[in-house]
Amino acid sequence: MEVISFYWPNILAGSILVFVLGLFGAHLIARNKSMEIMLLGQEFQTGILLSSLLLPLIENGGHGEHGFHLETFSSLVIALGLHSLYHRLLARHRSFRVEAALGFIILLMGISHIVVKLSPLVEFHMVKSFLGDIVTVSKMESITVSVIAVILAGVLIKYRVPILKDTIELAIFNRTTHERRVRKIFLVATILLMMFSVHLFGNIFTVGAIIIPAFVASLFSVPLKRFSLMMGVNTLSVPLAFALLMYNEQLPTTVVIIFILTFLSVLSAKFI
């Protein structure tokens, strides 16, 4: 219990993120955006690495942590620039949406490895932005991202009716409603949520928490009312992963969270 009492801010932040990312994921997967979510996660990771390489030249020094500073916002600008390039290409070749996303992901992975080769010191950022390290996230960062996630969940709840209508239209009829402002709000909320999550908990945690519960729910035809309960159960994946640290401190906590999250998703989808 000492591990859990010491890391309670990290556990709180991780649990809230699992729940909120899952809620957003239900809409994103229904809208057939899973490939774009994977692409956006890779864009943020590449943006973090490019920022880690370039910013020390500007700041005459560097830092070793992904706190909320200039690197966070510069990586956001880079990620949005890359995503804009993807959508420009997609505008002319919509039938190749999946192939375009896969091609961009492969190219961005290549860029990431080149950046690491150019500056071996960036390798720390490579590992952290991909695998994450929930254990090393500071108390202030944990509380900050918890507040941000709760606010963005509030935005999702406030606009739940028009967002749900948009999701249904896209899922069933492959068309959008006329609620363009609400669609932009949902997009901005998704990008902000992913940005802070990738920075602190890594790409695997973020993308996994978005895609896996929604995929399992679709697989077992879980109704919307039960999905929220399912996500409540999934929040247990974070304290359970930390509890395992008491037995083996070498376990990669973030990866273990995703494995437990998958198990709990299947369990709750079948029996709750």
Side-chain angles (χ1 to χ4, degrees), residues 185-203:
I185 290 171
F186 179 70
L187 176 62
V188 170
T190 301
I191 288 172
L192 288 175
L193 185 64
M194 286 191 66
M195 178 186 73
F196 287 109
S197 182
V198 171
H199 260 274
L200 294 185
F201 300 112
N203 197 14

Side-chain angles (χ1 to χ4, degrees), residues 94-111:
R94 255 194 201 279
S95 58
F96 297 103
R97 182 180 63 84
V98 174
E99 291 81 359
L102 282 171
F104 262 69
I105 290 171
I106 292 168
L107 289 173
L108 291 174
M109 289 172 66
I111 291 171

Side-chain angles (χ1 to χ4, degrees), residues 75-91:
S75 65
L76 172 63
V77 171
I78 292 170
L80 290 178
L82 292 169
H83 208 62
S84 175
L85 183 63
Y86 163 74
H87 275 287
R88 285 193 176 189
L89 177 65
L90 200 63

